[in-house]
């Protein structure tokens, strides 16, 4: 009947995540940071003559000091991080099984953007084929309106109608230059049907950031199973994706921050992605 109420659209799935490093930002968020502030976790004690904050004098610590110095508590301020989704928009993402691959990528970007906004992180999205796609280039923001426009632009994009630009995803390497600088959390969304050299170059370009690869699946069943695991932890089920993820971890660990080489393994994980069940 025409008078029946239209059911409301279900809210986007929540994708909780955390980063194992201390963020260097100054904007208040949900992650451990390097900035001293009034909130957050206890950090350490310091002398009152250095900190000059008598509101946080610790009498118990001060009474134990044989030199009768006054000690104050210091706390670390919770801070925010920048989250980006780099989306492979090569022609293979135009494949449609029981679901469209591009819709899977759009749903995932919407869920990540919503989760980031709720905890105070900024979210940006960059779609790439052989070049960065201008219609799908969105700098990081906390705006809810921009979040909806990002998902709409991605859902309305047709990877199959790109001509020669859809032959590959070298634009992901160029996108890494756009997000260079302060350490970020990057979701790399692709079906990974790319040459091994391209995959290695992309992860090499993103080695300064924490990267979570996600495979855009071609069926609803594969999409659900892929959404419930991070590709670099737990081990994917099919042999091809397993080899690609192992190569991704190796490329990401080949030149870590600080220049020291570390061992790459299938269980290595920089950032932690804990999907909500």
């Amino acid at each position: 009947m025409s008078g029946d109420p239209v059911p409301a659209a279900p809210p986007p799935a929540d994708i909780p995540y955390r980063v194992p490093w201390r963020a260097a930002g100054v904007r208040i968020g949900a992650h451990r940071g390097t900035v001293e502030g009034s909130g957050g976790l206890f950090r350490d004690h310091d002398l009152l003559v250095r900190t000059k904050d008598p509101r946080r004098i610790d009498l118990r610590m001060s009474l134990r000091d044989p030199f009768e110095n006054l000690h104050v508590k210091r706390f670390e301020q919770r801070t925010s991080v920048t989250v980006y989704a780099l989306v492979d928009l090569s022609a293979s993402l135009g494949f449609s099984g029981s679901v469209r691959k591009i819709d899977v990528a759009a749903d995932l970007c919407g869920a990540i953007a919503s989760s980031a906004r709720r905890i105070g992180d900024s979210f940006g999205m960059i779609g790439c084929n052989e070049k960065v796609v201008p219609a799908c280039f969105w700098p990081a923001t906390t705006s809810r309106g921009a979040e909806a426009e990002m998902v709409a632009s991605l859902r309305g994009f047709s990877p199959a109608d790109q001509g020669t630009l859809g032959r590959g995803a070298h634009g992901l390497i160029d996108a890494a230059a756009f997000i260079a600088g302060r350490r970020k959390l990057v979701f790399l969304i692709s079906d990974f049907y790319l040459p091994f050299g391209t995959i290695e170059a992309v992860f090499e370009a993103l080695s300064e950031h924490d990267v979570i690869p996600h495979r855009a699946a071609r069926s609803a069943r594969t999409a659900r199973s892929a959404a419930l695991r991070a590709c670099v932890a737990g081990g994917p089920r099919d042999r091809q994706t397993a080899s690609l993820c192992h190569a991704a971890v190796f490329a990401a660990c080949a030149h870590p921050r600080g220049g020291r080489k570390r061992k790459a393994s299938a269980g290595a994980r920089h950032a932690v992605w804990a999907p909500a069940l």
Side-chain angles (χ1 to χ4, degrees):
M1 297 177 60
S2 59
D4 293 340
V6 178
D14 193 20
I15 301 182
Y17 58 86
R18 66 179 184 270
V19 293
W21 38 273
R22 294 176 182 266
V26 296
R27 192 158 55 88
I28 295 177
H31 308 281
R32 299 189 66 179
T34 59
V35 179
E36 180 185 345
S38 57
L41 301 175
F42 171 74
R43 184 176 179 180
D44 57 13
H45 288 93
D46 200 2
L47 295 178
L48 177 62
V49 294
R50 284 200 294 262
T51 306
K52 298 180 180 179
D53 189 358
R55 297 174 299 172
R56 296 180 176 82
I57 293 178
D58 189 339
L59 294 178
R60 183 172 298 178
M61 184 69 178
S62 300
L63 290 174
R64 290 203 301 262
D65 189 343
F67 300 103
E68 300 183 352
N69 293 313
L70 291 177
H71 293 259
V72 296
K73 293 180 178 179
R74 297 198 302 175
F75 297 87
E76 62 181 36
Q77 180 65 58
R78 290 281 183 174
T79 187
S80 62
V81 300
T82 302
V83 182
Y84 265 95
L86 301 189
V87 186
D88 170 15
L89 295 180
S90 59
S92 60
L93 262 288
F95 180 86
S96 298
S98 57
V99 294
R100 296 171 62 216
K101 284 185 179 181
I102 194 69
D103 288 339
V104 174
D107 291 340
L108 180 60
C109 287
I112 298 171
S114 179
S115 301
R117 174 175 47 81
R118 280 197 289 269
I119 62 175
D121 292 341
S122 56
F123 175 79
M125 183 190 76
I126 304 178
C128 307
N129 44 36
E130 284 293 295
K131 298 181 180 179
V132 174
V133 179
C136 297
F137 178 81
W138 296 88
T141 179
T142 56
S143 169
R144 186 169 187 171
E147 169 190 322
E149 291 181 14
M150 290 181 199
V151 176
S153 66
L154 188 59
R155 201 179 298 277
F157 186 80
S158 178
D161 301 332
Q162 305 176 79
T164 58
L165 291 177
R167 293 180 178 177
H170 286 87
L172 293 171
I173 303 173
D174 299 330
F178 284 108
I179 64 174
R182 185 172 291 172
R183 197 173 185 182
K184 301 174 180 65
L185 177 60
V186 179
F187 286 82
L188 181 60
I189 304 172
S190 173
D191 55 8
F192 292 100
Y193 292 134
L194 300 170
F196 177 80
T198 301
I199 296 176
E200 188 176 31
V202 170
F203 277 91
E204 176 70 20
L206 295 172
S207 60
E208 291 296 315
H209 308 293
D210 283 345
V211 183
I212 296 180
H214 178 87
R215 185 186 179 199
R218 63 184 180 184
S219 67
R221 179 179 179 182
T222 310
R224 286 192 297 268
S225 63
L228 294 178
R229 65 178 182 269
C231 289
V232 292
R237 296 178 183 177
D238 63 286
R239 188 173 301 175
Q240 180 185 18
T241 308
S243 62
L244 291 174
C245 290
H246 290 184
V249 173
F250 176 81
C253 296
H255 297 283
R257 297 173 64 88
R260 293 185 299 175
K261 192 172 183 179
R262 58 187 172 188
K263 183 178 180 181
S265 64
R269 187 196 296 197
H270 299 288
V272 178
W273 178 23
L277 298 177

